[in-house]
Amino acid sequence: MTPEEFRQAGYAVVDWIADYWATLPQRPVTSQDPPGTVAAELPPRPPTQGEPVEAILTDLGKLVAPRLTHWQHPGFFGYFPANTSGPSVLGDLVSAGLGVQGMLWATGPACTELETVMLDWLAEALDLPARFRSTGRGGGVIQDSASSATLVATLVALHRAAGGRWREVGVDRRYRVYTSTEAHSSVEKAARIAGLGSDGVRLIEVDPTTRAMSPTALRAAIEADQAAGLVPALVVATVGTTSTTAVDPLPQIGPICAGYGVFLHVDAAYAGAAAVCPELRFGHAGLEYADSYCFDPHKWLLTGFDCDAFWVADTGELVEALTVLPEYLRNAATESGAVIDYRDWQVPLGRRFRALKLWFVLRWYGVEGLREHIRRGVALAARFADRVRADDRFELVAPHPYALVCFRLRGPDGPNEELLARVNATGRVFLTHTRVAGRYTLRLAVGSPQTTETHVDEAWALICEAAASATPA
Amino acid sequence: MTPEEFRQAGYAVVDWIADYWATLPQRPVTSQDPPGTVAAELPPRPPTQGEPVEAILTDLGKLVAPRLTHWQHPGFFGYFPANTSGPSVLGDLVSAGLGVQGMLWATGPACTELETVMLDWLAEALDLPARFRSTGRGGGVIQDSASSATLVATLVALHRAAGGRWREVGVDRRYRVYTSTEAHSSVEKAARIAGLGSDGVRLIEVDPTTRAMSPTALRAAIEADQAAGLVPALVVATVGTTSTTAVDPLPQIGPICAGYGVFLHVDAAYAGAAAVCPELRFGHAGLEYADSYCFDPHKWLLTGFDCDAFWVADTGELVEALTVLPEYLRNAATESGAVIDYRDWQVPLGRRFRALKLWFVLRWYGVEGLREHIRRGVALAARFADRVRADDRFELVAPHPYALVCFRLRGPDGPNEELLARVNATGRVFLTHTRVAGRYTLRLAVGSPQTTETHVDEAWALICEAAASATPA
């Protein structure tokens, strides 16, 4: 495809996306087609001869788009948001066009340096502790997801626990990882990948009301393990848990980790973004105790997946744990010691130029624009929670410090499951569920920049309607 | 950013990329600016108020583009290619615009099903063994890189070696991984991440001429380990090693793995793409023995990074090893057992809609178009190798079955290092190096669709010129 052919086809694809966004509110949020529908409509083998872009775009509109869950839809309230934005898409487009592979500084100097600066910009925007800035021993890097950030933190913690010998001798099954019963499943998955198995993970109980990790229980677990000859290696604390956005108390957890010499990773995948607003930084109190920290701009900061921002306080330790240097990657810049080679900060070797989308987002919105976005989400969630609170049929199940509201019909689980199915079947909105202290609970998470009071009110109206027909009068 | 604002800015970015590609041949392939140049030119903190896209594009052209290594340049001959193409960029653009998160079938049905079909299309295009097709127990998935594919294969192998108990009890330090001394560094890194340490990896010697793994040495190592009470868990064979594109002999290695019950992963990251051409499928002889296999469409198949295609023969085993199912991800489709949830096939939870770029590439080029691209690369490499062969000052260091030529000035390493530095300093071409049997060796890898005979001949002319001034007359 020549540059001129690309130019023409590129306009058509830009038009397709602009039209898709403009028509999103009219589309059902989810597809109702059964499994196998798309696969059945595609040819069993690739074409022998090439086809024009127009033919592909036609099939995109006909076969693919109607069978998606529309994550950018203003009525999408499921999981956590994963919202993108125009500037993010454009930054990613530039990245795709440049086709730079940033495994080493030498394979893309601007790719590396822009990333370092963007992570410093983010640290500034969130007012993160000085220890994470690149001006000192710390620094940040883009991972694909918080799952990978947790895995990397786990590996560095194991390396430290082994006195720096983990790289050679492997994992010791006596190492233990601590996280709350409400933590994300990626903590267990990281421990599994690292060779600790689920046996290596201690799930610490939470406060029954706040759903936040109990520091007392954490201390007791660490002490019991030490007494049993086991080695506490890592605590993963969460700022904004997936179920209910609970905030683990870092001011208490931090000193415990410091006291027992345990690596502390803080996972703020969803809620970290809120810290662009000074009034929403409460979750970061005590963050100066953390050895590593991450949040996902790809969740609530208008940056398309994948973009997890991950910082460590000691980049030397990180690199020591993960570095590999085969002959074919040796180069003068690496050997000078004056550059960052981000391949040593992550699991894969290769990497895309993901800093561009952050650069486009941070510059196009400015910090004030991002604050406005976060505040709008928090206000819309509060508006919805007010509706729930005012209706005796419903109860709020947990605090809603950010933009997620957890609620349910009072009483048994059955009508709640039925309610969720009915509401989602309308195609107007999409909510998901969790269990809080064993009880089936509905989750409404606000995130899309297209979501307004109208959409939140419509969600509430649909919920009330479904509740009226689902529960006995 | 409204859809209409996006449309206008999108055209501008498309123009920027088309112009970038059109002017690539005139740009120096690499930047000569010292470390820190880009960082020094960027503000220390993000803007408070937003800025227009035009301002960002201006800085993109001024600050970023001149400080890149241009991987898409027709004079880029370094490492392995990582070439993208117009259709790939457009498919990726659609993916960014849709902003779908495909962790579950339910969170993007078309995202999941298109991926399954694309991996079957690729298996068909490469004529992979039936065991990897989704019609049976096998199936494919997109990983970000071959590094991650190797890691996933390692985890499944450990799970199998532990009789399915690895998930719970963790890794046993007696497990051993076997790969050749020429294998990619990601094999050692995967073993390290999985908790085996470098002590858990056996580097098997290679044939001194072909640089391919010695089956005799592999068998001996497995037997010695078994006799010592260790547990052979995984063999990673390579089709097209990074140094010299050596091909490990699967027809001999496969039966050894089968005989000792060892998991066999085949890493064809670079060379796999060549198998779209029937006459270049020799490296896949014996592939029916493999438990898993991967290659990178993002290297030599005109698909932008990140796109590693990874297949396993037994998807049930893979899912068992990697699955996690917290309450908040439960849904009717998953519980029906009728769908694939790709989160269970990889390390991270979230995932982008990467099948779109494959769909665009496979349809726009057609299989014949991709064959033409591969054949052109092989022919250009052969043309270059002929020049080397005809010049007594130089020697070819290894066979060149694909599109990489390994060569050097006869004699000591010093003049070769000097030669590489001089040639790269011209800014017209970019080559990298390796060591073959300890000797410093230059690598010229052809991959860009923009590369023609003119560029290869220019590379040779520059090399001859530099050689004339670098070596004594």
Side-chain angles (χ1 to χ4, degrees):
Chain A
M1 186 181 274
T2 66
E4 285 315 308
E5 289 173 317
F6 172 79
R7 196 188 305 270
Q8 296 313 316
Y11 293 165
V13 173
V14 165
D15 283 339
W16 192 93
I17 294 171
D19 294 344
Y20 171 78
W21 286 349
T23 55
L24 260 180
Q26 285 82 57
R27 295 172 188 258
V29 192
T30 54
S31 159
Q32 299 303 322
D33 289 324
T37 304
V38 179
E41 290 177 6
L42 292 166
R45 52 184 55 82
T48 305
Q49 303 301 331
E51 301 173 57
V53 169
E54 295 70 32
I56 312 174
L57 287 180
T58 300
D59 286 350
L60 180 67
K62 210 173 62 184
L63 308 184
V64 174
R67 281 64 173 263
L68 287 174
T69 300
H70 300 291
W71 283 71
Q72 309 308 314
H73 195 289
F76 183 97
F77 298 112
Y79 308 103
F80 277 141
N83 287 118
T84 190
S85 65
S88 174
V89 172
L90 297 177
D92 224 14
L93 172 54
V94 171
S95 170
L98 290 173
V100 165
Q101 217 278 47
M103 59 186 175
L104 306 172
W105 179 88
T107 65
C111 175
T112 296
E113 294 190 20
L114 188 66
E115 184 158 333
T116 305
V117 175
M118 285 309 101
L119 273 282
D120 279 341
W121 279 20
L122 277 179
E124 181 77 20
L126 271 63
D127 196 28
L128 296 186
R131 64 194 330 226
F132 294 129
R133 313 291 175 102
S134 75
T135 40
R137 292 174 62 198
V141 60
I142 299 173
Q143 304 281 348
D144 60 3
S145 64
S147 296
S148 295
T150 300
L151 174 58
V152 168
T154 302
L155 301 175
V156 180
L158 293 175
H159 189 56
R160 187 193 287 185
R165 300 211 352 98
W166 163 86
R167 271 172 47 164
E168 287 76 37
V169 302
V171 81
D172 186 323
R173 281 179 172 177
R174 293 173 306 150
Y175 298 146
R176 288 295 174 270
V177 173
Y178 306 80
T179 199
S180 94
T181 54
E182 297 285 311
H184 193 263
S185 56
S186 55
V187 181
E188 188 199 319
K189 191 159 175 175
R192 192 192 297 174
I193 291 166
L196 294 170
S198 48
D199 293 354
V201 181
R202 298 279 189 246
L203 295 180
I204 306 300
E205 68 184 55
V206 296
D207 177 281
T209 307
T210 64
R211 318 299 304 164
M213 187 194 289
S214 157
T216 316
L218 173 65
R219 182 188 296 276
I222 289 175
E223 288 183 352
D225 280 344
Q226 280 192 335
L230 301 172
V231 183
L234 170 68
V235 171
V236 179
T238 312
V239 173
T241 59
T242 309
S243 259
T244 67
T245 62
V247 176
D248 289 344
L250 301 181
Q252 285 79 52
I253 292 170
I256 295 173
C257 294
Y260 294 96
V262 182
F263 192 104
L264 174 60
H265 173 62
V266 175
D267 173 8
Y270 162 71
V276 294
C277 303
E279 75 277 17
L280 292 171
R281 288 183 183 149
F282 48 84
H284 286 169
L287 191 55
E288 62 278 8
Y289 290 105
D291 293 289
S292 60
Y293 167 85
C294 81
F295 90 102
D296 289 342
H298 69 227
K299 283 197 165 70
W300 197 15
L301 212 60
L302 298 168
T303 309
F305 190 90
D306 47 355
C307 186
D308 168 85
F310 174 68
W311 286 268
V312 293
D314 182 352
T315 60
E317 186 180 42
L318 167 67
V319 170
E320 195 180 281
L322 294 185
T323 191
V324 286
L325 184 51
E327 182 65 31
Y328 45 80
L329 297 183
R330 286 186 188 273
N331 66 88
T334 297
E335 268 146 50
S336 76
V339 301
I340 290 175
D341 291 327
Y342 276 125
R343 80 180 192 287
D344 287 335
W345 298 43
Q346 62 176 19
V347 169
L349 171 59
R351 55 203 327 271
R352 286 154 52 235
F353 194 170
R354 290 175 294 201
L356 280 172
K357 58 186 174 190
L358 273 177
W359 195 41
F360 273 62
V361 166
L362 288 166
R363 290 188 65 175
W364 198 83
Y365 285 100
V367 175
E368 278 303 331
L370 296 174
R371 285 177 180 155
E372 203 181 302
H373 169 66
I374 295 286
R375 284 173 183 146
R376 194 167 46 224
V378 172
L380 288 173
R383 179 184 178 93
F384 181 82
D386 285 344
R387 303 277 183 283
V388 176
R389 206 177 279 112
D391 189 322
D392 282 344
R393 294 172 299 174
F394 291 89
E395 56 181 329
L396 288 171
V397 174
H400 53 93
Y402 303 108
L404 169 72
V405 181
C406 293
F407 67 103
R408 65 194 305 282
L409 284 167
R410 294 180 192 277
D413 287 348
N416 281 289
E417 295 187 44
E418 202 186 319
L419 176 67
L420 182 64
R422 277 172 190 255
V423 168
N424 285 348
T426 66
R428 298 292 309 151
V429 296
F430 178 67
L431 283 72
T432 56
H433 82 285
T434 187
R435 282 185 187 271
V436 180
R439 295 188 310 165
Y440 192 94
T441 298
L442 280 67
R443 297 169 77 266
L444 180 135
V446 182
S448 167
Q450 288 203 21
T451 302
T452 63
E453 294 186 353
T454 313
H455 302 100
V456 169
D457 291 349
E458 185 185 0
W460 177 243
L462 291 168
I463 288 164
C464 287
E465 207 174 301
S469 58
T471 49
Chain B
M1 186 181 276
T2 67
E4 285 314 308
E5 288 173 318
F6 172 79
R7 196 188 304 269
Q8 296 314 315
Y11 294 164
V13 173
V14 165
D15 284 340
W16 192 93
I17 294 172
D19 294 344
Y20 171 77
W21 286 349
T23 55
L24 259 180
Q26 284 83 55
R27 295 171 188 259
V29 193
T30 53
S31 160
Q32 299 304 323
D33 289 324
T37 304
V38 180
E41 290 178 8
L42 292 165
R45 50 185 54 83
T48 305
Q49 304 300 331
E51 301 174 57
V53 170
E54 295 71 32
I56 312 174
L57 288 181
T58 300
D59 286 349
L60 180 67
K62 209 173 61 183
L63 308 184
V64 174
R67 280 65 173 260
L68 286 174
T69 300
H70 300 291
W71 283 71
Q72 309 308 315
H73 195 290
F76 182 98
F77 299 112
Y79 308 104
F80 276 142
N83 286 119
T84 189
S85 64
S88 175
V89 172
L90 297 177
D92 224 15
L93 172 55
V94 172
S95 171
L98 291 173
V100 166
Q101 217 279 45
M103 60 185 173
L104 306 172
W105 179 88
T107 65
C111 175
T112 296
E113 295 190 21
L114 188 66
E115 184 158 334
T116 305
V117 174
M118 285 309 101
L119 274 281
D120 278 342
W121 279 20
L122 278 181
E124 181 77 20
L126 270 65
D127 196 28
L128 296 185
R131 65 193 330 226
F132 294 130
R133 314 291 175 99
S134 74
T135 40
R137 293 174 63 196
V141 61
I142 299 173
Q143 304 281 349
D144 59 4
S145 63
S147 296
S148 295
T150 299
L151 175 58
V152 168
T154 302
L155 302 175
V156 180
L158 294 175
H159 189 56
R160 187 193 286 184
R165 298 206 1 93
W166 164 85
R167 271 173 47 166
E168 288 77 36
V169 303
V171 82
D172 187 323
R173 283 179 172 176
R174 292 174 306 150
Y175 298 147
R176 288 295 175 271
V177 173
Y178 305 81
T179 200
S180 94
T181 54
E182 297 284 311
H184 193 262
S185 56
S186 56
V187 180
E188 188 198 319
K189 190 159 177 175
R192 192 192 298 176
I193 292 167
L196 294 171
S198 48
D199 293 354
V201 181
R202 299 277 189 247
L203 295 179
I204 306 300
E205 67 184 55
V206 296
D207 177 280
T209 308
T210 65
R211 317 302 301 166
M213 188 194 288
S214 156
T216 316
L218 173 65
R219 182 188 295 275
I222 289 176
E223 288 183 352
D225 280 344
Q226 279 191 335
L230 302 171
V231 182
L234 169 68
V235 171
V236 179
T238 311
V239 173
T241 58
T242 309
S243 260
T244 67
T245 63
V247 176
D248 289 344
L250 301 181
Q252 285 79 53
I253 292 169
I256 295 172
C257 294
Y260 294 96
V262 182
F263 192 104
L264 174 61
H265 173 63
V266 174
D267 173 7
Y270 162 72
V276 295
C277 303
E279 75 276 17
L280 292 171
R281 287 183 185 149
F282 47 83
H284 286 170
L287 192 55
E288 62 278 8
Y289 289 105
D291 293 288
S292 60
Y293 167 85
C294 81
F295 89 102
D296 290 341
H298 69 228
K299 283 197 166 72
W300 196 14
L301 214 60
L302 299 168
T303 308
F305 190 89
D306 49 354
C307 186
D308 168 84
F310 174 67
W311 287 267
V312 293
D314 181 352
T315 59
E317 187 181 41
L318 167 67
V319 170
E320 195 180 281
L322 294 186
T323 191
V324 287
L325 185 51
E327 182 65 33
Y328 46 80
L329 297 182
R330 286 186 188 273
N331 66 88
T334 298
E335 269 148 48
S336 75
V339 301
I340 289 174
D341 290 327
Y342 277 125
R343 82 179 190 288
D344 287 335
W345 299 44
Q346 63 176 18
V347 169
L349 171 58
R351 56 204 327 271
R352 286 153 54 233
F353 195 169
R354 290 176 294 201
L356 281 172
K357 58 187 173 189
L358 273 177
W359 195 41
F360 274 63
V361 166
L362 288 165
R363 289 188 66 175
W364 198 84
Y365 286 99
V367 175
E368 278 302 331
L370 295 174
R371 285 176 179 155
E372 204 181 302
H373 169 66
I374 295 286
R375 285 173 183 145
R376 194 167 45 225
V378 173
L380 288 173
R383 179 186 178 94
F384 181 82
D386 285 345
R387 303 277 182 284
V388 176
R389 206 178 280 111
D391 189 321
D392 283 344
R393 295 172 298 174
F394 291 90
E395 58 181 327
L396 288 171
V397 174
H400 53 94
Y402 303 108
L404 169 72
V405 181
C406 293
F407 66 103
R408 65 195 304 283
L409 284 166
R410 294 180 192 278
D413 287 346
N416 281 288
E417 295 187 43
E418 201 185 321
L419 175 67
L420 182 65
R422 276 171 190 256
V423 168
N424 286 346
T426 66
R428 297 294 308 151
V429 296
F430 178 66
L431 282 73
T432 56
H433 81 285
T434 186
R435 281 186 188 271
V436 179
R439 295 188 309 165
Y440 192 93
T441 298
L442 279 68
R443 297 169 76 265
L444 180 135
V446 181
S448 166
Q450 288 202 23
T451 303
T452 63
E453 293 186 353
T454 313
H455 302 99
V456 169
D457 291 349
E458 185 185 0
W460 178 244
L462 291 167
I463 289 164
C464 287
E465 207 174 303
S469 59
T471 48

